[in-house]
Amino acid sequence: MDTSFALTLQIVLTVLAGVTAQVIGEVARVPSIIFLLLFGIGLGPDGIGLLHPQDLGIGLEVIVALSVALILFEGGLSLELSELGQVSNSLRNLVTIGIFVTLIGGGMAAHWLGEFPWSLAFLYASLIVVTGPTVIGPLLRQVAVDRKVATLLEGEGVLIDPIGAILAVVVLDIILNGDADPTTVVGGLILRLSIGTLIGIVGGGLMGLLLKQASFLGEDLRNLVVLAGLWGLFGLAQSIRSEAGLMTAVVAGMMVRWLSVPDERLLRRFKGQLTVLAVSVLFILLAADLSIASVFALGQGAVLTVLMLMVVVRPVNVWLCTRSSDLNWRQKLFLGWVAPRGIVSASVASLFAILLTERGISGGEAIKALVFLTIIMTVMVQGLTARFVAGWLGITKAAAVGAVIVGCSPLSLLIARLIKEYGDPVVIIDTNDAACDAAEKEGIELLISSALDRDVLERAGLDKAGTFLAMTKNGEVNAVVAQRALEEFQPARVVAVVPQEKSLGDLPNQGQLKGAQTPRLALRQWNAYLSDGEVRLGETWLRQENSQLQQAHLATLVDNGALVPLLVERDDALRVALGQDRWEVGDRLIYLWHDSKPKLLRQLAGGIQPTRLTLETLPVVEAVPPAPKESLAETAIAATLVSEGPVSSDSR
């Protein structure tokens, strides 16, 4: 087979396997690294033999180096610096004191339990001091824990990667050169960190300023400029001192984030996509290059070594580093349990195995096998049990309640007032100063600012809100701010209202609103009805005996524009019902009903006339037991005429 075609086939298979593993992990809601490892080993020489990473030669080292730089840059770019300030002391301890605690504890465990010589034992320990954002990030997306705990884990994962990798290089230098002077270790570590930090600050700052000034660059070209700049800075730092580029990548990402460059969210999405691809390719190639026989050859001592790291070294590390913090014992226990290793450990271990073999030093493959065993055990055990442990410790996020609403209109004010009267928090964001009076009259908190500003969304409490509702009169604005909310805060529910005259296909970023609901609604018409008092407020409970009929009638009323579902109460929690087309038995639905035929309604309702609503006279809607069938709201739904809208029967 032609050599070029064989290498092309290797890369194609690697990408296909990596993306497939990511998809399976997303569907199964488990860390995708599990499937990446399984696919890599299965396709490698110890599996069906389709992948042979060693055929890439020196190219494998190049792919690893550039991919790790990209991964670390994306990690730095994703760090929320304002949140890191809340855990700065503990984070500083974890990436300084914690590294040496793990180094010493891991080295002793590998020597006494794994029976490695001291030099290789400490080399192994230096490789597994890191955790890694590529494993922590997906894990925290699946396990919603207390924000302070999540911030500490995210910050540790990003910042400890370059420090740990540089420490491993220093330890390797000692093994290769026989210089065990402690000053050499500390000096080499500080020198590389200093060079990397300096180049990252200057280069990342220049990159950020360029992005802020170069308005002539299109979105796609701006992203590529950042990619080229990152690899340029990485190469510069590497040429000055080996592995200094790792710190450069992290610091450059943090600088770009700190400078708040235009369209930062688009840059982060682009880098995030590249990072997913890089992680997929790296894990598949490195796992395919792993010898399963070398893992089994380690014996029982290797398993005990990893267990010692998980149940003794890590908890002691966290306890020492968080003694002076305000974290409670539950939070500390969770931090002590969750420390899965990721791509940096795997990639550096693979490179070290090659270097040790080239220098004629035995033990390189054994170190690599032990590192991969550590990755497999920590990801499998900690990753799969994290949700259970968080729930058992009671540190999961409280159920998100309330809403943040963009756009101050009669309809949004009505929804906000009902939520507030239920007892849940609600905030409206609008750029119009004239909205202040109406919101103040209703007692609703209003922020006069742009909903595209992350600080404004944070001030509005979106990180704790159950729903983000964008319902300005402009459908494009609703789509853009909803996209921003999804990217920055991932709220439990996002609703971007589309004015009825605007089709979904007209929205410029409709394809990027994954996870958001986009209901169509005649906003102008319903706001006019509210202002003129031509609506009634109703509620109904979905009953077991006729829920299907109610569902059908509700859907018909909504489609005909005669009814707008506002809120639904389920399991003692209130949520915005806009955009929801199915309800469950036991739901209490609160809706607006347009009184298009008042005379007919009064006759059919036996003279019972609901109170006509304005924003000033809107009654408080309280949670009540299921209304009797004779109630006006229930009868109106049950006796709906599809062709004529909502009516009530007088034959009760």
Side-chain angles (χ1 to χ4, degrees):
M1 183 183 294
D2 182 71
T3 304
S4 62
F5 177 75
L7 291 179
T8 301
L9 185 60
Q10 296 275 300
I11 298 299
V12 169
L13 286 174
T14 300
V15 173
L16 285 175
V19 173
T20 302
Q22 292 282 0
V23 171
I24 296 175
E26 186 80 13
V27 173
R29 295 185 61 79
V30 297
S32 57
I33 186 176
I34 296 174
F35 300 103
L36 289 170
L37 290 171
L38 291 175
F39 281 25
I41 294 172
L43 292 172
D46 285 357
I48 60 178
L50 291 179
L51 285 182
H52 299 276
Q54 63 274 14
D55 291 347
L56 297 174
I58 194 67
L60 179 60
E61 297 181 36
V62 176
I63 293 174
V64 169
L66 294 179
S67 297
V68 169
L70 178 62
I71 291 166
L72 293 179
F73 177 81
E74 196 271 338
L77 189 65
S78 301
L79 279 181
E80 182 51 56
L81 302 181
S82 61
E83 293 182 352
L84 291 181
Q86 302 176 13
V87 294
S88 57
N89 291 334
S90 298
L91 181 58
R92 180 198 60 219
N93 292 339
L94 283 171
V95 299
T96 52
I97 299 172
I99 282 181
F100 291 100
V101 172
T102 305
L103 179 67
I104 295 171
M108 291 190 299
H111 176 70
W112 288 329
L113 299 176
E115 299 180 354
F116 279 81
W118 280 112
S119 58
L120 293 182
F122 279 107
L123 180 60
Y124 159 75
S126 68
L127 289 167
I128 50 85
V129 297
V130 301
T131 52
T134 58
V135 187
I136 293 292
L139 183 62
L140 292 177
R141 284 195 293 271
Q142 297 165 7
V143 184
V145 297
D146 174 78
R147 189 57 199 162
K148 188 175 292 187
V149 174
T151 300
L152 195 52
L153 285 172
E154 290 170 348
E156 179 194 17
V158 172
L159 296 178
I160 207 171
D161 267 2
I163 301 174
I166 292 172
L167 175 64
V169 170
V170 174
V171 174
L172 179 66
D173 282 344
I174 293 173
I175 294 175
L176 296 179
N177 302 321
D179 186 359
D181 184 359
T183 58
T184 303
V185 178
V186 177
L189 181 62
I190 294 176
L191 179 62
R192 287 176 169 87
L193 290 176
S194 300
I195 293 173
T197 300
L198 179 61
I199 295 176
I201 291 175
V202 175
L206 291 175
M207 196 187 308
L209 292 176
L210 173 64
L211 292 176
K212 296 184 79 168
Q213 299 297 325
S215 56
F216 56 88
L217 292 177
E219 174 191 326
D220 294 336
L221 190 56
R222 290 164 67 88
N223 293 336
L224 293 177
V225 166
V226 173
L227 180 62
L230 161 65
W231 281 340
L233 294 174
F234 175 76
L236 174 63
Q238 289 288 93
S239 65
I240 297 175
R241 199 73 174 183
S242 64
E243 306 312 318
L246 299 177
M247 195 66 188
T248 295
V250 172
V251 175
M254 295 174 67
M255 284 297 297
V256 173
R257 176 65 182 266
W258 180 68
L259 288 171
S260 300
V261 300
D263 296 326
E264 177 191 301
R265 65 188 186 280
L266 302 177
L267 174 63
R268 287 168 57 194
R269 184 188 304 116
F270 174 70
K271 290 296 179 287
Q273 292 168 344
L274 288 181
T275 296
V276 172
L277 178 61
V279 170
S280 303
V281 169
L282 283 186
F283 263 120
I284 292 292
L285 288 176
L286 297 178
D289 199 38
L290 176 66
S291 170
I292 298 299
S294 65
V295 176
F296 283 106
L298 295 174
Q300 183 180 1
V303 176
L304 294 176
T305 299
V306 179
L307 289 176
M308 181 64 68
L309 280 171
M310 294 168 58
V311 301
V312 176
V313 177
R314 174 65 178 183
V316 169
N317 181 6
V318 170
W319 178 76
L320 288 174
C321 295
T322 60
R323 279 188 304 169
S324 59
S325 71
D326 58 353
L327 297 172
N328 58 45
W329 69 269
R330 293 181 177 86
Q331 294 169 319
K332 293 179 181 179
L333 189 57
F334 184 79
L335 288 169
W337 175 244
V338 177
R341 272 58 179 184
I343 192 62
V344 172
S345 293
S347 58
V348 177
S350 298
L351 294 180
F352 282 10
I354 296 173
L355 291 174
L356 290 172
T357 302
E358 290 176 349
R359 295 290 290 269
I361 300 176
S362 61
E365 283 300 321
I367 288 292
K368 177 182 174 182
L370 185 55
V371 168
F372 269 89
L373 180 64
T374 305
I375 294 173
I376 293 170
M377 288 183 63
T378 54
V379 171
M380 291 287 287
V381 178
Q382 296 173 343
L384 296 179
T385 61
R387 182 181 288 106
F388 168 77
V389 173
W392 174 62
L393 292 173
I395 63 166
T396 54
K397 282 183 181 178
V401 296
V404 173
I405 303 175
V406 179
C408 187
S409 65
L411 185 58
S412 63
L413 282 170
L414 172 59
I415 294 173
R417 180 179 175 184
L418 292 173
I419 294 174
K420 181 175 181 289
E421 289 169 345
Y422 188 81
D424 289 344
V426 61
V427 177
I428 294 180
I429 302 174
D430 201 296
T431 56
N432 185 5
D433 291 334
C436 285
D437 293 338
E440 184 178 351
K441 195 171 184 180
E442 295 295 328
I444 305 299
E445 182 181 355
L446 177 72
L447 298 179
I448 302 297
S449 189
S450 169
L452 291 174
D453 189 334
R454 189 190 190 283
D455 293 336
V456 172
L457 295 177
E458 187 172 7
R459 210 160 68 240
L462 185 54
D463 55 336
K464 302 180 183 67
T467 300
F468 179 80
L469 172 60
M471 57 183 306
T472 71
K473 61 183 179 181
N474 190 315
E476 286 87 350
V477 170
N478 295 339
V480 170
V481 297
Q483 177 190 341
R484 179 73 168 183
L486 280 167
E487 292 171 349
E488 296 286 353
F489 294 90
Q490 294 87 42
R493 190 155 177 265
V494 174
V495 181
V497 174
V498 181
Q500 200 161 43
E501 62 274 10
K502 175 76 66 174
S503 69
L504 296 181
D506 295 334
L507 297 183
N509 59 343
Q510 174 64 24
Q512 299 167 358
L513 286 174
K514 179 183 177 182
Q517 294 175 308
T518 54
R520 297 186 62 184
L521 184 64
L523 278 176
R524 184 180 301 175
Q525 186 176 353
W526 281 99
N527 283 325
Y529 289 158
L530 273 166
S531 299
D532 297 338
E534 296 179 358
V535 291
R536 293 183 174 88
L537 186 67
E539 63 177 354
T540 186
W541 293 73
L542 270 70
R543 304 176 186 280
Q544 181 72 46
E545 60 270 17
N546 61 349
S547 63
Q548 291 185 345
L549 178 62
Q550 285 180 300
Q551 292 268 10
H553 286 165
L554 284 169
T556 301
L557 292 173
V558 172
D559 291 342
N560 289 344
L563 180 146
V564 173
L566 300 180
L567 302 163
V568 62
E569 183 183 18
R570 179 184 301 162
D571 299 328
D572 296 323
L574 195 69
R575 57 181 289 179
V576 175
L578 292 172
Q580 184 169 336
D581 55 4
R582 283 197 64 82
W583 294 275
E584 299 177 3
V585 174
D587 284 354
R588 170 178 171 248
L589 180 66
I590 301 169
Y591 56 86
L592 265 188
W593 169 14
H594 173 50
D595 185 12
S596 59
K597 294 188 172 135
K599 292 183 180 179
L600 177 61
L601 286 172
R602 282 197 296 271
Q603 292 172 0
L604 294 176
I608 298 176
Q609 174 65 39
T611 304
R612 189 174 290 273
L613 295 178
T614 65
L615 289 176
E616 290 77 15
T617 62
L618 179 67
V620 176
V621 177
E622 300 177 347
V624 295
K629 266 194 171 181
E630 295 84 354
S631 71
L632 176 64
E634 186 75 21
T635 307
I637 293 294
T640 298
L641 298 178
V642 174
S643 60
E644 297 186 346
V647 296
S648 300
S649 172
D650 58 355
S651 57
R652 292 180 288 171

